[in-house]
Amino acid sequence: MVTMSDVAQVAGVSQTTVSHVVNKTRRIAPETERAVAAAIEATGYLNDGIAKSLRTGKTHSIGLAISAMSNPYFGEVVHSIEKHVTDLGYSLLLADTHDDPDRELRAVRDLLAHRPDGIILAPSADPQEALRQISRRKIPTILIDRVPEHLDPSQPVDAIGVENTEPTAELVRHLAERGHRRIAMVSGRPGLRTTVERVNGYLLGLRQAGLGVDETLIRDGHSEAEPARQAIKALMALESPPTALITGNNQMTIGAMAALRDLGLQVPDDIALVAFDDFPWADLFHPRLTVMAQPIEELGTLAAEMLFQRLREPDLKPREVRLSPRLIVRDSGGTGI
């Protein structure tokens, strides 16, 4: 097996210098660092992270449990977190929860088996067992996107998400100002904090616009494209269908657009459509989509920063941070009816 001593001999430096280069524990002259890097490449040396973790109690890894594969929004969050984590010399361990409590629990257990120094979790509708598993290990944790109603002051858990209630109300007001009185809401997966807050925002917006609540105009899209597609078709089959739609996330927006296409309805001529979540390609659609854009890069970066701050200061009180999304008015809300 190739050792650090072998690398030092090939590079013509001391074993201590090799250790400083590998573990980034001291600044080394650039030419010496290049020589060590070349020697590592030539010898095939692998740093023994397991042995190091046994000595220090640290693995220099961060666990991320999130529904990354099924939601492009979370994919962008992962990219932002990964960049910050790796810039600080840590590895990112990714586990997909599929927004399901059972799979979330398995994902968290898999991460814990790798002994990460911290965990970032986008909690499901029922994350309590997963959080209990983390709590037993007393691992610093950040909850991202879905902020719980109450944080346990006895646990090293922080939370970061976006404001949902007032921004959703703003989407309702945007449509009401254009003359819409039958405004429907396609909501996300039941039980998720984001779903609850966005539905509350929809109801708030109706009150602010002086509109009554019609329960038939609130449909569950389950945060996914196909359920949202079916929800839109049910809404449009009503005796008095809506003239405007609000979708609660980007996946449901895709389902809504598919349903309207199936029904031969044009946006915004036949019906207005606005969405919570922006897309990288939302400005390329015809019509261009009006959206409530979340600060995705900032969300991921701040989640990582908060976690590393807690790693440095484990006795911090639990913190909750909310970021403000931004209304981007394009064409899909129409100009008025």
Side-chain angles (χ1 to χ4, degrees):
M1 183 179 74
V2 178
T3 66
M4 197 174 285
S5 177
D6 298 325
V7 174
Q9 187 173 357
V10 172
V13 298
S14 70
Q15 186 172 328
T16 299
T17 298
V18 174
S19 175
H20 284 312
V21 172
V22 169
N23 296 307
K24 303 183 185 303
T25 49
R26 197 182 74 187
R27 289 182 63 85
I28 301 296
E31 61 272 18
T32 302
E33 190 167 351
R34 286 193 292 271
V36 172
I40 289 172
E41 179 70 22
T43 60
Y45 171 73
L46 295 174
N47 187 25
D48 190 351
I50 295 176
K52 180 182 176 184
S53 72
L54 291 174
R55 293 194 305 271
T56 65
K58 302 292 184 183
T59 61
H60 276 75
S61 65
I62 300 298
L64 175 59
I66 199 167
S67 184
M69 306 306 176
S70 60
N71 193 328
Y73 161 75
F74 277 134
E76 294 181 57
V77 172
V78 171
H79 176 74
S80 178
I81 293 172
E82 190 268 343
K83 183 180 185 305
H84 193 85
V85 165
T86 55
D87 283 350
L88 291 176
Y90 281 67
S91 299
L92 187 68
L93 309 173
L94 179 62
D96 199 318
T97 65
H98 297 270
D99 268 340
D100 175 78
D102 291 335
R103 298 183 77 164
E104 173 185 62
L105 180 57
R106 288 198 296 272
V108 166
R109 283 174 171 165
D110 287 345
L111 289 176
L112 291 174
H114 290 84
R115 302 174 62 246
D117 296 334
I119 283 181
I120 300 174
L121 170 66
S124 70
D126 184 16
Q128 296 310 312
E129 185 54 40
L131 290 174
R132 275 192 287 271
Q133 295 286 330
I134 296 170
S135 175
R136 290 182 188 130
R137 307 288 187 92
K138 299 190 181 302
I139 294 178
T141 301
I142 301 290
L143 303 182
I144 189 170
D145 188 59
R146 291 87 180 252
V147 177
E149 288 190 79
H150 304 288
L151 294 176
D152 185 344
S154 68
Q155 301 299 335
V157 176
D158 300 305
I160 181 170
V162 300
E163 297 288 351
N164 291 296
T165 304
E166 173 54 30
T168 307
E170 186 175 359
L171 287 174
V172 175
R173 295 195 301 270
H174 172 80
L175 294 169
E177 288 165 1
R178 282 153 180 77
H180 293 283
R181 294 295 177 264
R182 297 280 292 169
I183 301 171
M185 171 81 182
V186 181
S187 63
R189 192 182 300 273
L192 290 180
R193 192 70 195 154
T194 48
T195 297
V196 173
E197 291 177 349
R198 289 172 195 174
V199 170
N200 286 342
Y202 166 76
L203 298 173
L204 173 63
L206 292 178
R207 291 196 299 272
Q208 291 172 336
L211 302 177
V213 176
D214 182 345
E215 296 290 344
T216 66
L217 295 181
I218 305 173
R219 298 295 170 116
D220 175 16
H222 216 69
S223 299
E224 297 176 2
E226 185 54 32
R229 184 176 184 171
Q230 298 306 319
I232 295 296
K233 289 185 175 181
L235 284 166
M236 300 315 297
L238 291 172
E239 183 177 346
S240 179
T243 63
L245 301 168
I246 298 173
T247 51
N249 77 355
N250 52 21
Q251 289 292 87
M252 293 188 292
T253 303
I254 292 171
M257 294 172 68
L260 296 176
R261 180 200 60 203
D262 293 345
L263 295 168
L265 297 175
Q266 298 295 315
V267 177
D269 296 340
D270 300 319
I271 187 165
L273 172 66
V274 300
F276 209 107
D277 277 352
D278 199 8
F279 301 78
W281 26 265
D283 198 36
L284 303 178
F285 271 108
H286 179 73
R288 300 178 307 150
L289 290 172
T290 291
V291 298
M292 187 62 69
Q294 301 192 67
I296 298 175
E297 183 174 355
E298 185 181 5
L299 183 70
T301 298
L302 285 179
E305 288 178 354
M306 288 173 68
L307 182 58
F308 282 110
Q309 184 180 7
R310 183 161 288 283
L311 288 172
R312 295 190 300 269
E313 304 175 63
D315 294 330
L316 286 172
K317 292 182 178 180
R319 298 163 294 170
E320 178 183 322
V321 174
R322 293 280 191 148
L323 305 178
S324 297
R326 178 171 61 96
L327 177 65
I328 300 177
V329 177
R330 298 186 179 114
D331 305 322
S332 64
T335 57
I337 60 174

